[in-house]
Amino acid sequence: MILAIDTSTANCSAAIFADDGALIDARDEVIGRGHAERLMPMIEELLVGRIPSRILIGCGPGSFTGLRVGLAAAHGMAIGWDIPLAGMSSLALLAAGTPGDGPVAAAMTGGHGELFVQAFDRPPLAPAGELLNLPPEAAASAVATPLVVGSGAALLVEARGSGEAIDLDPSARNALLLPAPLRTLEPRPLYGRAPDARPRQAA
Protein backbone atom coordinates (compact mmCIF):
# COMPACT_ATOMS: atom_id res chain seq x y z
CA MET A 1 0.00 0.00 0.00
CA ILE A 2 1.27 3.48 -0.89
CA LEU A 3 0.60 6.61 1.18
CA ALA A 4 0.78 9.96 -0.65
CA ILE A 5 0.69 13.36 1.07
CA ASP A 6 0.76 16.99 -0.04
CA THR A 7 0.64 20.02 2.28
CA SER A 8 2.18 22.63 -0.02
CA THR A 9 -0.95 24.82 -0.18
CA ALA A 10 -4.08 25.60 1.84
CA ASN A 11 -5.24 22.10 0.86
CA CYS A 12 -4.32 19.30 3.28
CA SER A 13 -4.28 16.23 1.06
CA ALA A 14 -3.59 12.52 1.60
CA ALA A 15 -4.38 9.36 -0.35
CA ILE A 16 -3.70 5.64 -0.17
CA PHE A 17 -3.21 3.35 -3.15
CA ALA A 18 -3.01 -0.39 -3.60
CA ASP A 19 0.32 -1.76 -4.81
CA ASP A 20 -1.19 -2.05 -8.31
CA GLY A 21 -1.83 1.72 -8.31
CA ALA A 22 -5.59 1.63 -7.66
CA LEU A 23 -6.82 4.49 -5.47
CA ILE A 24 -8.26 3.08 -2.23
CA ASP A 25 -9.25 6.28 -0.44
CA ALA A 26 -8.33 9.97 -0.31
CA ARG A 27 -8.96 13.15 1.65
CA ASP A 28 -8.72 16.78 0.50
CA GLU A 29 -9.54 19.51 3.00
CA VAL A 30 -8.91 23.17 2.28
CA ILE A 31 -7.96 24.34 5.75
CA GLY A 32 -5.70 27.31 5.10
CA ARG A 33 -3.51 27.01 8.18
CA GLY A 34 -3.44 24.18 10.68
CA HIS A 35 -1.85 21.34 8.71
CA ALA A 36 0.02 20.26 11.81
CA GLU A 37 -3.25 19.64 13.66
CA ARG A 38 -5.17 17.98 10.81
CA LEU A 39 -2.64 15.91 8.83
CA MET A 40 -2.00 13.02 11.23
CA PRO A 41 -5.68 12.45 12.12
CA MET A 42 -6.43 12.45 8.38
CA ILE A 43 -3.76 9.81 7.75
CA GLU A 44 -5.07 7.69 10.62
CA GLU A 45 -8.55 7.83 9.06
CA LEU A 46 -7.17 6.58 5.76
CA LEU A 47 -4.89 3.85 7.07
CA VAL A 48 -7.32 2.38 9.64
CA GLY A 49 -4.43 0.71 11.45
CA ARG A 50 -2.67 -0.51 8.30
CA ILE A 51 0.98 0.24 7.53
CA PRO A 52 1.93 1.40 4.02
CA SER A 53 4.85 -0.09 2.12
CA ARG A 54 6.13 3.33 1.00
CA ILE A 55 5.36 7.05 1.25
CA LEU A 56 5.27 9.83 -1.36
CA ILE A 57 5.45 13.41 -0.08
CA GLY A 58 4.85 16.67 -1.94
CA CYS A 59 8.06 18.72 -1.76
CA GLY A 60 6.72 21.99 -3.10
CA PRO A 61 7.14 24.67 -4.02
CA GLY A 62 4.54 26.21 -1.76
CA SER A 63 3.97 27.32 1.80
CA PHE A 64 7.15 27.14 3.90
CA THR A 65 5.19 26.05 6.97
CA GLY A 66 2.97 23.58 5.14
CA LEU A 67 5.93 21.94 3.44
CA ARG A 68 7.82 21.53 6.71
CA VAL A 69 4.78 19.97 8.40
CA GLY A 70 4.25 17.43 5.63
CA LEU A 71 7.91 16.55 5.25
CA ALA A 72 8.47 16.17 8.99
CA ALA A 73 5.45 13.86 9.28
CA ALA A 74 6.53 11.81 6.26
CA HIS A 75 10.10 11.42 7.50
CA GLY A 76 8.88 10.44 10.97
CA MET A 77 6.53 7.77 9.62
CA ALA A 78 9.14 6.42 7.19
CA ILE A 79 11.66 6.06 10.00
CA GLY A 80 9.12 4.57 12.41
CA TRP A 81 7.84 2.03 9.90
CA ASP A 82 11.23 1.52 8.18
CA ILE A 83 9.78 2.08 4.71
CA PRO A 84 11.00 4.02 1.65
CA LEU A 85 10.19 7.73 1.26
CA ALA A 86 10.30 9.73 -1.98
CA GLY A 87 9.37 13.27 -2.95
CA MET A 88 6.94 14.62 -5.53
CA SER A 89 6.71 17.92 -7.40
CA SER A 90 3.64 19.78 -6.09
CA LEU A 91 3.39 21.78 -9.33
CA ALA A 92 3.37 18.51 -11.27
CA LEU A 93 0.53 17.31 -9.00
CA LEU A 94 -1.41 20.38 -10.10
CA ALA A 95 -0.77 19.63 -13.76
CA ALA A 96 -1.67 15.95 -13.28
CA GLY A 97 -5.07 16.92 -11.83
CA THR A 98 -5.98 19.19 -14.74
CA PRO A 99 -8.83 17.93 -16.96
CA GLY A 100 -8.09 17.19 -20.62
CA ASP A 101 -4.85 16.94 -22.54
CA GLY A 102 -2.37 19.36 -24.01
CA PRO A 103 0.04 21.90 -22.53
CA VAL A 104 -0.71 23.35 -19.10
CA ALA A 105 1.07 25.75 -16.78
CA ALA A 106 0.83 25.30 -13.02
CA ALA A 107 0.93 28.54 -11.01
CA MET A 108 0.91 28.87 -7.21
CA THR A 109 0.85 32.06 -5.20
CA GLY A 110 4.08 32.54 -3.29
CA GLY A 111 5.54 35.11 -0.97
CA HIS A 112 5.82 38.84 -1.69
CA GLY A 113 3.07 38.69 -4.31
CA GLU A 114 5.12 36.46 -6.60
CA LEU A 115 4.12 33.23 -8.35
CA PHE A 116 5.69 29.80 -8.59
CA VAL A 117 5.17 28.73 -12.21
CA GLN A 118 6.12 25.78 -14.37
CA ALA A 119 4.84 24.64 -17.76
CA PHE A 120 4.12 20.98 -18.57
CA ASP A 121 3.34 18.98 -21.70
CA ARG A 122 0.64 16.27 -21.73
CA PRO A 123 0.46 13.35 -22.49
CA PRO A 124 2.73 12.03 -21.18
CA LEU A 125 3.14 14.55 -18.38
CA ALA A 126 6.60 16.12 -18.59
CA PRO A 127 8.13 19.49 -17.68
CA ALA A 128 8.20 21.91 -20.61
CA GLY A 129 10.24 24.52 -18.77
CA GLU A 130 12.03 25.32 -15.55
CA LEU A 131 10.43 26.17 -12.22
CA LEU A 132 10.15 29.97 -12.05
CA ASN A 133 9.47 32.35 -9.15
CA LEU A 134 8.38 35.68 -10.60
CA PRO A 135 5.97 38.59 -10.13
CA PRO A 136 2.72 38.03 -12.09
CA GLU A 137 3.72 40.44 -14.89
CA ALA A 138 7.08 38.73 -15.42
CA ALA A 139 5.49 35.28 -15.17
CA ALA A 140 2.93 36.33 -17.79
CA SER A 141 5.76 37.22 -20.18
CA ALA A 142 7.68 34.03 -19.46
CA VAL A 143 4.81 31.51 -19.77
CA ALA A 144 2.81 31.43 -23.00
CA THR A 145 0.77 28.29 -22.23
CA PRO A 146 -2.91 29.27 -22.67
CA LEU A 147 -4.27 27.01 -19.88
CA VAL A 148 -3.05 27.90 -16.38
CA VAL A 149 -4.10 26.10 -13.19
CA GLY A 150 -3.55 26.70 -9.50
CA SER A 151 -4.02 29.38 -6.89
CA GLY A 152 -1.99 31.84 -8.97
CA ALA A 153 -3.65 31.07 -12.31
CA ALA A 154 -6.06 34.01 -12.29
CA LEU A 155 -3.27 36.49 -11.49
CA LEU A 156 -1.11 35.22 -14.33
CA VAL A 157 -3.92 35.18 -16.89
CA GLU A 158 -5.07 38.65 -15.82
CA ALA A 159 -1.53 40.01 -16.15
CA ARG A 160 -1.19 38.43 -19.60
CA GLY A 161 -4.64 39.47 -20.78
CA SER A 162 -5.37 36.10 -22.38
CA GLY A 163 -5.78 32.43 -21.59
CA GLU A 164 -7.91 30.28 -19.31
CA ALA A 165 -7.43 30.11 -15.53
CA ILE A 166 -8.62 27.20 -13.36
CA ASP A 167 -8.31 27.46 -9.58
CA LEU A 168 -7.02 24.06 -8.40
CA ASP A 169 -4.99 22.73 -5.48
CA PRO A 170 -2.49 19.88 -5.65
CA SER A 171 -4.15 16.62 -4.64
CA ALA A 172 -2.39 13.50 -3.37
CA ARG A 173 -4.99 11.43 -5.23
CA ASN A 174 -3.07 12.28 -8.44
CA ALA A 175 0.30 11.10 -7.13
CA LEU A 176 0.53 7.97 -9.27
CA LEU A 177 -0.35 9.93 -12.42
CA LEU A 178 3.11 11.47 -12.17
CA PRO A 179 5.89 9.88 -14.22
CA ALA A 180 8.69 8.35 -12.17
CA PRO A 181 11.11 11.32 -12.47
CA LEU A 182 8.50 13.60 -10.83
CA ARG A 183 7.72 11.26 -7.92
CA THR A 184 11.19 9.98 -7.08
CA LEU A 185 12.66 13.29 -5.89
CA GLU A 186 14.75 13.69 -2.78
CA PRO A 187 12.26 14.15 0.10
CA ARG A 188 13.31 17.67 1.01
CA PRO A 189 11.70 21.09 0.52
CA LEU A 190 11.61 22.54 -2.98
CA TYR A 191 11.07 26.13 -1.93
CA GLY A 192 11.53 27.68 -5.37
CA ARG A 193 13.16 30.79 -3.90
CA ALA A 194 15.66 31.75 -1.24
CA PRO A 195 14.35 32.12 2.33
CA ASP A 196 13.52 35.62 3.55
CA ALA A 197 15.75 35.26 6.62
CA ARG A 198 19.42 36.04 6.16
CA PRO A 199 22.34 35.14 8.44
CA ARG A 200 23.44 38.07 10.57
CA GLN A 201 26.71 39.51 9.35
CA ALA A 202 29.57 39.71 11.81
CA ALA A 203 30.28 43.21 13.06
Side-chain angles (χ1 to χ4, degrees), residues 6-10 35 58-68 89-91 94 107-111 115-117 131 133 151 170 189-193:
D6 189 87
T7 56
S8 61
T9 66
H35 293 81
C59 294
S63 158
F64 278 31
T65 302
L67 289 174
R68 288 196 296 267
S89 162
S90 298
L91 287 176
L94 267 175
M108 284 185 191
T109 52
L115 302 178
F116 300 116
V117 184
L131 166 62
N133 178 219
S151 58
L190 179 62
Y191 287 135
R193 65 181 176 88

Side-chain angles (χ1 to χ4, degrees), residues 44-56:
E44 289 178 7
E45 293 167 12
L46 290 171
L47 293 178
V48 197
R50 297 169 292 189
I51 296 176
S53 56
R54 59 189 173 108
I55 301 173
L56 300 174

Side-chain angles (χ1 to χ4, degrees), residues 97-136:
T98 305
D101 292 324
V104 59
M108 284 185 191
T109 52
H112 308 294
E114 297 188 342
L115 302 178
F116 300 116
V117 184
Q118 189 169 19
F120 295 87
D121 288 326
R122 304 178 298 164
L125 183 69
E130 296 297 318
L131 166 62
L132 305 174
N133 178 219
L134 298 168

Side-chain angles (χ1 to χ4, degrees), residues 2-9 11-17 25-28 35 38-40 42-44 46-47 52 54-60 66-78 81 83-90 93 170-176 178 183 187:
I2 303 161
L3 171 64
I5 305 164
D6 189 87
T7 56
S8 61
T9 66
N11 187 37
C12 188
S13 182
I16 54 170
F17 301 86
D25 200 359
R27 299 281 190 281
D28 286 282
H35 293 81
R38 183 65 189 114
L39 179 61
M40 293 310 297
M42 178 183 289
I43 291 172
E44 289 178 7
L46 290 171
L47 293 178
R54 59 189 173 108
I55 301 173
L56 300 174
I57 177 66
C59 294
L67 289 174
R68 288 196 296 267
V69 167
L71 280 157
H75 276 280
M77 288 184 289
W81 288 325
I83 58 175
L85 171 65
M88 303 180 287
S89 162
S90 298
L93 274 181
S171 175
R173 69 179 64 237
N174 297 315
L176 297 192
L178 300 181
R183 55 180 168 91

